[in-house]
Every structure is written in C-alpha cells, then in structure tokens.
Amino acid sequence: MSDAFRISLTDLRRQEGSLLELHRSIPAPDTFATALVRTIGDITVDGALQSVSEGVLITGTVECTTVAECARCLIEVEEDVNLDVTELYFYQDRAKALQESGDEEAEEVPLIENDSIDIEGLLRDAIVGQMSFIPLCSEDCAGLCSVCGERLADLPDDHAHEKDPSEMTALDELRAKLAAEEQGK
C-alpha cells in the first residue's frame, strides 16, 4: 500500500451526513494492469467522503489512461477511462458486530484503520475490472498481412503477394507427408 492511496479522515466528523470533498491525483502503479493492458500516467479521483452509521461512504469518479497493444494488428492503443466508484468503509466495531451476527461477507469489508482509509483496492478493482480481455484498435481491425506482416489498414486495397509455385507452405508439406503415409499403408 502506498501513502498516495491513503486518505486521512481526521477532518471528517463522525456525525452521520458529514461530508469531506476528495480530489486526488495518484501516479498509476504497475499493479493496475493485466497481461495485455496497463494504466499509464496519473489516476485522478474526484468525489466525496460521507459519514454514515456504519462508517464512511466514498463516491466519486476515477479518470485514467490505459494503453494496450491491439490483439490483431499490434499497434499501441490508448484509451481514456472514466468510471464511477462507490465503496463503504466500515468502522472496525461495526465490522466486528456484523461478523458476530453471522455475516460471512463481513470479513472481506474494507475497514477504517488509524482514522484513514486505503483506496488502492477500490481503484485497482474498478480500473482493472473494466480492461478489455482482447484489446482492439477498432472493432473492424483487419489485422496483419499473413505474408509480409504489415498492418492491413496501412496497405492498399489491392495488396497481394505472388506465390512462387515451387514454394511449399507448411500446410502443403503436411498434406504431402500425410498422403505419402497413407499410400505406404
């Protein structure tokens, strides 16, 4: 946990309905990523902290930029992300009361510790959760030419390669091998 993600609650009264504005810009850590997509630059959080009977409710928007490589043509794709977040951070005594009442999910709730909250998990889950499993530069991306490897969108419509008739592809070689094996039976 980084101190950049820790928000002090000392200025927020513990009286229900009390509000504290939240404006923060945090450098995106390496952990805000998947195998294909990562967050770059700063993560901006704008919102409010509100005292409620169980703890502190955080609501707001998160803005950041993600970057990935298109799964079809391999160009770098940047995307501006704007998300709404909401999370309730529990006072420790309230979370303990929930656990004692048999609430099995109470062990997983985010807690207020040392009069502060840590929003790293909230932001990571929101940002990484919206990342694409298969990033694309566009839905109709044609990918790469299977012969020359160039991006098809950058090539003319009549792009083609002449195939040398004496040149055997791996598929032709496999087909010939299987035919020979079949004849040898």
Side-chain angles (χ1 to χ4, degrees):
M1 165 191 49
S2 163
D3 284 343
F5 292 100
R6 185 154 292 285
I7 299 171
S8 172
L9 301 176
T10 55
D11 293 334
L12 180 65
R13 294 189 344 228
R14 197 168 170 168
Q15 178 182 355
E16 284 185 51
S18 295
L19 284 172
L20 181 65
E21 287 188 21
L22 172 63
H23 305 287
R24 183 146 316 174
S25 186
I26 305 166
D30 294 339
T31 56
F32 284 38
T34 65
L36 300 173
V37 185
R38 68 185 188 284
T39 307
I40 59 171
D42 286 346
I43 300 167
T44 304
V45 183
D46 286 306
L49 304 168
Q50 181 179 7
S51 287
V52 294
S53 62
E54 296 85 9
V56 173
L57 179 67
I58 180 172
T59 57
T61 59
V62 177
E63 294 178 1
C64 65
T65 302
T66 61
V67 66
E69 211 172 66
C70 176
R72 294 182 188 157
C73 70
L74 306 179
I75 66 165
E76 192 171 272
V77 180
E78 280 191 18
E79 180 182 0
D80 292 327
V81 176
N82 189 335
L83 304 165
D84 292 326
V85 292
T86 302
E87 184 73 76
L88 176 59
Y89 287 80
F90 284 81
Y91 296 121
Q92 290 188 13
D93 59 334
R94 299 292 181 151
K96 185 177 179 181
L98 286 174
Q99 289 173 358
E100 290 172 356
S101 72
D103 187 338
E104 295 174 14
E105 295 177 8
E107 291 180 28
E108 305 290 324
V109 299
L111 297 174
I112 298 169
E113 298 178 69
N114 300 321
D115 212 20
S116 65
I117 60 174
D118 178 15
I119 62 169
E120 183 174 6
L122 168 65
L123 299 181
R124 182 184 53 249
D125 291 350
I127 294 169
V128 173
Q130 66 77 39
M131 289 180 174
S132 176
F133 289 111
I134 303 174
L136 297 174
C137 61
S138 69
E139 290 297 320
D140 60 344
C141 175
L144 302 174
C145 173
S146 62
V147 178
C148 67
E150 293 294 317
R151 186 171 181 254
L152 289 171
D154 297 337
L155 297 171
D157 290 339
D158 62 347
H159 176 76
H161 297 275
E162 288 187 32
K163 184 177 177 183
D164 182 353
S166 64
E167 186 180 304
M168 252 187 153
T169 66
L171 187 56
D172 293 333
E173 290 174 15
L174 179 60
R175 190 177 293 120
K177 180 181 175 183
L178 291 173
E181 287 177 2
E182 193 143 320
Q183 288 177 354
K185 285 186 178 179

